[in-house]
């Protein structure tokens, strides 16, 4: 039995008209002789009634009285509603379908509510269902822990559900249907002329995703990569196949940019840069600071350590908490608010001189100060002021001619 997994994001199942496009894609896959496992996200975006953020607005999270366990219980409802509505419409279109929750589809997770990790998959039930129906619609983003509690996989986690099912079922491929026509050279909401990439490697897309390109969840990419199942990122309302994510870009017609230096640019906004300098009153103790951050569940990033100080970034909403912690430790931290981190990702930059020079030069010409930078062999990061983010990303996109083929 050939199985393919087709995942439809929130905007792809929000309205009946969009769901008709989704059903057309499923029909195409069925006509090609496949069985389909369709993973769905909660319907629409807030303020639409069953969207994840709308459900979330019903409780005062994280300040209210509910626990993380109850948060997961509430948020899981969005995907369940979506799965039943979608399966019902498939049946109305003459397609033999049924709906399953994440737990029923075999997602067994740990008990880390709001950010649960998949421990194992038990897809026996799902395989049995596929013997009698053509499409199983699975509620994305959720699983069940060993106590039978509903868990969720972190925001954007329906991609992860799709990839985990694709891997467990040995699917031919995983289609991620969304509101853009593929993975682009930058977020199209920031760069208007961002180009759709035809083929990208798992590593490159994983890097882009970790650096903020939310078009596909990084965990989903990892799971698909381990199982060697290709991903296609595609538009729900269009026909063409969008971006193919695979392990190696072969010299085929699909190779769109030979020897490209930079594959794409991603960004993360809403960061604060923290700087702590050693003083007579409080000589710097690097490990004490990082231990304190970890103990308080604060993720730190973009870390620069010198003998006399530390520079790092935190999500902006942690700023007050971090200030309190550091003041209690007698440090006098300095905060640079409203920063954004830009990542230029590309396997082609390895060993090529001049990439950093182009970045520094083009940003300087646009009057954008670099607050911090770092690099690895496939990624260069710069931190800029958030209000210069759009100009900075567009400048860099142009400097590397990413809009051109
Ligand atoms: P879904 O609900 O379908 O999962 P998401 O909102 O999670 O959709 O992801 C799609 C969005 O990701 C797009 O609307 C786009 O604005 C954003 N995005 C960010 N970076 C990129 C990129 N490099 N390529 C394409 N889309 C991107
Ligand atoms: N509905 C969930 C979210 O908004 C999961 C997803 O859409 O992937 O984060
Ligand atoms: Mg998403």
């Amino acid at each position: 039995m050939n199985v393919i997994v087709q995942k439809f994001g929130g905007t792809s199942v929000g309205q009946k008209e969009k769901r008709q496009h989704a059903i057309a894609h499923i029909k195409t896959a069925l006509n090609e002789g496949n069985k389909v496992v369709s993973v769905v996200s909660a319907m629409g975006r807030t303020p639409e009634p069953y969207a994840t953020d709308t459900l979330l607005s019903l409780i005062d999270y994280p300040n209210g009285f509910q626990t993380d366990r109850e948060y997961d219980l509430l948020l899981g409802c969005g995907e369940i509603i979506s799965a039943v509505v979608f399966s019902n419409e498939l049946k109305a279109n003459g397609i033999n379908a049924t709906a399953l929750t994440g737990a029923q589809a075999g997602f067994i997770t740990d008990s880390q509510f709001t950010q649960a990790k998949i421990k194992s998959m038990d897809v026996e039930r799902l395989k049995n269902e596929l013997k009698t129906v053509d499409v199983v619609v699975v509620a994305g983003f959720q699983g069940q822990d060993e106590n039978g509690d509903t868990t969720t996989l972190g925001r954007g986690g329906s991609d992860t559900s799709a990839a985990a099912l694709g891997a467990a079922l040995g699917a031919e491929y995983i289609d991620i249907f969304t509101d853009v026509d593929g993975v682009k050279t930058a977020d199209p909401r920031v760069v208007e002329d961002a180009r759709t990439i035809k083929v990208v490697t798992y590593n490159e897309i994983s890097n882009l995703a970790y650096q903020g390109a939310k078009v596909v969840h990084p965990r989903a990419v990892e799971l698909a990569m381990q199982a060697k199942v290709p991903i296609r990122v595609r538009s729900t309302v269009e026909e063409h196949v969008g971006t193919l994510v695979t392990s190696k870009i072969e010299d085929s017609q699909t190779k769109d940019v030979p020897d490209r230096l930079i594959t794409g640019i991603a960004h993360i906004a809403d960061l604060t840069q923290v700087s702590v300098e050693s003083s007579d009153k409080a000589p710097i103790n690097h490990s004490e600071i990082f231990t304190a951050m970890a103990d308080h569940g604060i993720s730190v990033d973009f870390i620069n350590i010198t003998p006399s100080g530390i520079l790092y970034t935190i999500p902006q909403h942690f700023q007050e908490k971090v200030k309190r912690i550091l003041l209690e430790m007698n440090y006098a931290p300095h905060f640079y608010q409203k920063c954004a981190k830009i990542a230029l990702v590309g396997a082609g930059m390895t060993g090529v001189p001049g990439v950093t020079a182009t970045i520094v030069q083009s940003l300087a010409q646009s009057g954008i100060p670099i607050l911090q930078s770092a690099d690895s062999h496939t990624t260069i990061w710069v931190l800029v002021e958030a209000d210069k983010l759009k100009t900075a990303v567009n400048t860099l996109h142009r400097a590397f001619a990413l809009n051109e083929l």
Side-chain angles (χ1 to χ4, degrees), residues 7 9 41 45 156-157 159 178 214-217:
K7 179 255 169 177
S41 292
R45 292 271 180 271
D159 295 339
T178 185
K214 71 179 269 224
V215 63
V216 47
H217 197 286

Side-chain angles (χ1 to χ4, degrees), residues 276-286 288-289 307-309 329-331:
V276 188
E277 284 294 320
S278 212
S279 69
D280 292 342
K281 203 168 135 208
I284 195 118
N285 179 336
H286 302 96
E288 174 190 67
I289 292 178
S308 64
M329 293 164 82
N330 281 326
Y331 292 113

Side-chain angles (χ1 to χ4, degrees), residues 18 21 47 84 165 181 235 247 252 260 272 277 288 375 383:
K18 290 277 177 58
H21 284 282
V84 175
L165 284 170
D181 66 2
S235 159
S247 49
S252 65
R260 58 190 175 197
T272 293
E277 284 294 320
E288 174 190 67
D375 68 278
L383 191 71

Side-chain angles (χ1 to χ4, degrees), residues 90 120 143 151 184 242 260 262 275 354 358 364:
L90 284 166
S120 60
T151 53
K184 292 180 174 280
R260 58 190 175 197
I262 307 286
S275 155
T358 305

Side-chain angles (χ1 to χ4, degrees), residues 7-11 39-45 50-53 71 75 78-79 140-142 152-161 214 217:
K7 179 255 169 177
F8 298 95
T11 52
V39 175
V40 290
S41 292
M43 287 157 52
R45 292 271 180 271
Y50 308 108
T52 302
D53 286 301
Y71 165 104
L75 260 53
E79 269 67 14
F141 176 52
Q142 59 181 261
T152 64
L153 307 177
R155 297 303 304 268
S158 295
D159 295 339
T160 312
S161 306
K214 71 179 269 224
H217 197 286

Side-chain angles (χ1 to χ4, degrees), residues 294-365:
D295 288 347
H296 287 85
I298 294 157
S299 58
V300 297
D301 191 23
F302 225 146
I303 303 157
N304 245 331
I305 298 179
T306 63
S308 64
I310 302 184
L311 208 53
Y312 61 95
T313 59
I314 51 167
Q316 207 156 281
H317 62 268
F318 279 135
Q319 186 177 320
E320 282 313 306
K321 195 169 170 184
V322 168
K323 190 173 177 181
R324 251 193 342 266
I325 298 167
L326 292 171
L327 288 177
E328 271 167 24
M329 293 164 82
N330 281 326
Y331 292 113
H334 178 261
F335 295 96
Y336 205 131
Q337 299 181 39
K338 298 202 174 86
C339 298
K341 181 176 147 185
I342 301 172
L344 297 98
V345 174
M349 71 169 76
T350 310
V352 178
V355 179
T356 305
T358 305
I359 294 171
V360 174
Q361 219 168 49
S362 58
L363 290 178
Q365 275 162 6

Side-chain angles (χ1 to χ4, degrees), residues 67-336:
T67 59
D68 284 353
R69 188 190 68 80
E70 290 163 330
Y71 165 104
D72 278 3
L73 195 52
L74 175 64
L75 260 53
C77 297
E79 269 67 14
I80 296 175
I81 294 169
S82 182
V84 175
V85 169
F86 194 50
S87 142
N88 189 55
E89 279 177 17
L90 284 166
K91 284 184 259 188
N93 278 265
I95 296 169
N96 199 355
T98 193
L100 295 179
T101 64
Q104 290 163 347
F107 285 80
I108 301 157
T109 73
D110 63 16
S111 303
Q112 214 187 313
F113 296 109
T114 78
Q115 287 288 345
K117 298 276 174 313
I118 300 168
K119 283 175 75 176
S120 60
M121 298 288 297
D122 175 4
V123 288
E124 277 319 298
R125 157 110 191 245
L126 205 161
K127 281 184 176 165
N128 276 332
E129 298 284 356
L130 284 174
K131 286 179 190 154
T132 53
V133 299
D134 291 322
V135 182
V136 176
V137 184
V138 177
F141 176 52
Q142 59 181 261
Q144 194 177 59
D145 72 2
E146 277 160 357
N147 301 320
D149 279 320
T150 297
T151 53
T152 64
L153 307 177
R155 297 303 304 268
S158 295
D159 295 339
T160 312
S161 306
L165 284 170
L169 295 165
E172 300 285 300
Y173 51 85
I174 300 158
D175 274 340
I176 304 277
F177 286 98
T178 185
D179 60 355
V180 284
D181 66 2
V183 178
K184 292 180 174 280
T185 46
D187 187 340
R189 281 173 300 195
V190 174
V191 179
E192 264 172 36
D193 60 350
R195 191 175 49 80
T196 305
I197 305 168
K198 281 191 193 153
V199 197
V200 68
T201 63
Y202 292 113
N203 279 329
E204 286 176 310
I205 182 89
S206 166
N207 267 348
L208 282 169
Y210 273 116
Q211 301 307 324
K214 71 179 269 224
V215 63
V216 47
H217 197 286
R219 185 80 195 108
V221 180
E222 273 174 21
L223 289 171
M225 176 163 67
Q226 281 158 16
K228 299 193 173 62
V229 183
I231 297 180
R232 305 188 307 188
V233 180
R234 325 174 46 180
S235 159
T236 305
V237 297
E238 287 169 31
E239 286 294 313
H240 62 86
V241 290
T243 303
L244 173 70
V245 186
T246 180
S247 49
K248 205 160 158 240
I249 300 178
E250 307 288 353
D251 284 328
S252 65
Q253 313 118 321
T254 46
K255 185 171 178 179
D256 55 353
V257 185
D259 305 322
R260 58 190 175 197
L261 281 180
I262 307 286
T263 304
I265 303 177
H267 66 269
I268 300 175
D270 302 326
L271 298 175
T272 293
Q273 187 193 46
V274 186
S275 155
V276 188
E277 284 294 320
S278 212
S279 69
D280 292 342
K281 203 168 135 208
I284 195 118
N285 179 336
H286 302 96
S287 69
E288 174 190 67
I289 292 178
F290 289 122
T291 306
M293 295 297 123
D295 288 347
H296 287 85
I298 294 157
S299 58
V300 297
D301 191 23
F302 225 146
I303 303 157
N304 245 331
I305 298 179
T306 63
S308 64
I310 302 184
L311 208 53
Y312 61 95
T313 59
I314 51 167
Q316 207 156 281
H317 62 268
F318 279 135
Q319 186 177 320
E320 282 313 306
K321 195 169 170 184
V322 168
K323 190 173 177 181
R324 251 193 342 266
I325 298 167
L326 292 171
L327 288 177
E328 271 167 24
M329 293 164 82
N330 281 326
Y331 292 113
H334 178 261
F335 295 96
Y336 205 131

